Amino acid sequence: MSATPDTREVVLEARELTREFDGVKALDRFSFKLHRGEVLGLLGANGAGKTTAMNCLLGLTLPTSGELNAFGLPLQANRISILQRSNFSSAYTALPGNLLVWQNLSVFARIYGVPNPKKKIAELMELLEISHLGKRVTGQLSAGESTRVNLVKAFLNDPELLMLDEPTASLDPDIADKVRKVVRKVQRERSIAILYTSHNMRDIEEVCDRVIFLHKGKIVCEGTPTEIMSRSSSNNLEDVFIKIARDGEILDEPKKEEAP
Amino acid sequence: MNLRIISALVMRYLFLYSRTPMRLVELVFWPLVDLVVWGNVTVFIQKNSDAKFGEFILFFLGAMILWDILFRAQQGVAISFLEDVWTRNLLNVFVAPVRTAEYLGATFVVGFLRILVTCCVMSLVSWIGYSFNIFQLQWWLLPFFLNLMVFGWALGMISTALILRWGQAAESLAWAVPFFIQPVVCVFYRVEDMPAWSRPIAWLFPATPIFEGMREVMKSGTMNWNYLWLSVGLNVIYLTLAGALFVWVLNLTRKRGLLTKFATQ
Ligand SMILES: Nc1ncnc2c1ncn2[C@@H]1O[C@H](COP(=O)(O)OP(=O)(O)O)[C@@H](O)[C@H]1O
Ligand SMILES: [Mg+2]
């Protein structure tokens, strides 16, 4: 665990979050805190439970048990006000393909009640280097373009909490690098709390302040990227990832509450 | 309820219709086909029977137009939802601060707009082609129109709830649900023309008193307020139950973790 406790405001907190699907636990007593201005990476092999965690945190899926709070408020009862202060982007969802890019962004700017939406959209598109895409049909964009349009949508309401589900999946290394840098830049400027899932270790090393490794819905280790590498005597996160994915090796101190 | 959010969602559908003219064609084309077929049939009957029979043209065309109001309102709700499914937009909407009531409200508005388009086209064509002036239906009919629209919204929510429950395989319900009830709501005939045992069923639907009332207005020019109040009362019940059903199914979908499957598949 981190040496010094984080004293910043807790933006998002899960306590003993469990989600079962047909008796199989996709998430098993998953607990964490995400602080203001912190980027927390959620790592794990396919099926580890990352998306399930995110869907629970977005209120899209109800947990089987456990407690969720955002901005100090219980999630389910305050969903709308919490969502107004948050945003989300995923490589696996898209904005309506048959609309033009500016049309889609205008609709969401209006939903979020963005003041001066035209200016905001123009600024963000410039930041992500996609100003030229405004009049394009959303469904005809390349993966890299579409990811960046999704990110513009995700930044529209100046979220305090941002959830990114594999934002760099299917991007070439150059675009992935640009996306990471922009996310990091905006995040630092505005002290956004970000929950970030990825398979891409480069992402994690560059963007995340702290990471949690999930394996079959359980946390198997947690810490800063450097801490984790030194603990597992690896010199890159990729090795750690492979070790965990293959045998769920637990690198942390043995788990305290393991049932006898 | 936040009107800004409803208007934003309506804006999305308007963009959609402006981007895909085929959707507008569908709004105009089918009502037109219906109208022309029924119009010609009535003209044929008119020519080959005695004069009294001729007034049926009024009933048929009136019924056609009213049925279409119901159908378009229902489609406004059900198809708007499907548009979000087809374009994988559902997730974006559900992670935005959009209340269920606002989402449904937007689909109601779309239903209303679809009715406006269809009604204009049908009134114009029936007037030019068959000298049937919809305005001779009297302004009395306006409350009946509104009631039909509201019942259409309720049916739309029921269709949407069924699609949410059974997944995209059940998509065709979006078109089928209104026709499930068509035989019992007496669109083209009177309740007393139905077999006696089935008459009580007819009165369970708010559309029945509307169609009965419409025929009475057209025939005698007088409005039977009992029909109107009956349909209003039934509509309140239907709207409440359909809304509750939708919310219940939506929560069930969340509980089962299927909402995201729906939105990303
Ligand atoms: N709606 C669902 N119904 C049944 N099983 C599900 C559902 N959603 C996820 N799962 C299962 O939960 C586990 C975790 O999945 P997921 O959270 O998508 O993993 P990740 O995002 O880490 O790849 C997987 O075994 C997956 O099959
Ligand atoms: Mg995933």
Side-chain angles (χ1 to χ4, degrees), chain B residues 66 69-70 73-74 77 108 111-113 115 143-155 210 235 239:
Chain B
L66 288 191
I69 287 177
L70 175 67
Q74 180 270 350
V77 178
F108 291 175
F112 176 70
L113 295 176
I115 289 173
F144 285 129
F145 276 41
L146 292 177
N147 261 301
L148 269 183
M149 177 174 78
V150 172
F151 183 50
W153 292 344
L155 284 185
I210 298 173
N235 258 334
L239 210 56

Side-chain angles (χ1 to χ4, degrees), chain B residues 65-127:
Chain B
I65 292 176
L66 288 191
W67 173 255
D68 231 71
I69 287 177
L70 175 67
F71 186 62
R72 296 295 141 188
Q74 180 270 350
Q75 293 272 288
V77 178
I79 303 293
S80 299
F81 171 79
L82 282 178
E83 295 281 4
D84 281 328
V85 173
W86 292 331
T87 55
R88 300 195 300 158
N89 191 41
L90 216 49
L91 209 72
N92 290 314
V93 175
F94 283 126
V95 299
V98 176
R99 289 181 178 82
T100 310
E102 289 157 355
Y103 183 78
L104 290 173
T107 65
F108 291 175
V109 175
V110 175
F112 176 70
L113 295 176
R114 288 175 76 112
I115 289 173
L116 274 190
V117 173
T118 307
C119 259
C120 288
V121 173
M122 287 180 88
S123 321
L124 198 69
V125 173
S126 59
W127 185 47

Side-chain angles (χ1 to χ4, degrees), chain A residues 45-52 92 165-166 197 199:
Chain A
N46 288 321
K50 307 180 294 292
T51 299
T52 303
Y92 304 106
D165 196 4
E166 301 189 23
T197 79
H199 296 301

Side-chain angles (χ1 to χ4, degrees), chain A residues 111 158 166 173 182 187 202 231-232 240 252:
Chain A
I111 289 180
D158 286 327
E166 301 189 23
V182 171
Q187 186 270 334
R202 190 68 182 269
R231 220 179 297 157
S232 70
V240 183
D252 268 350

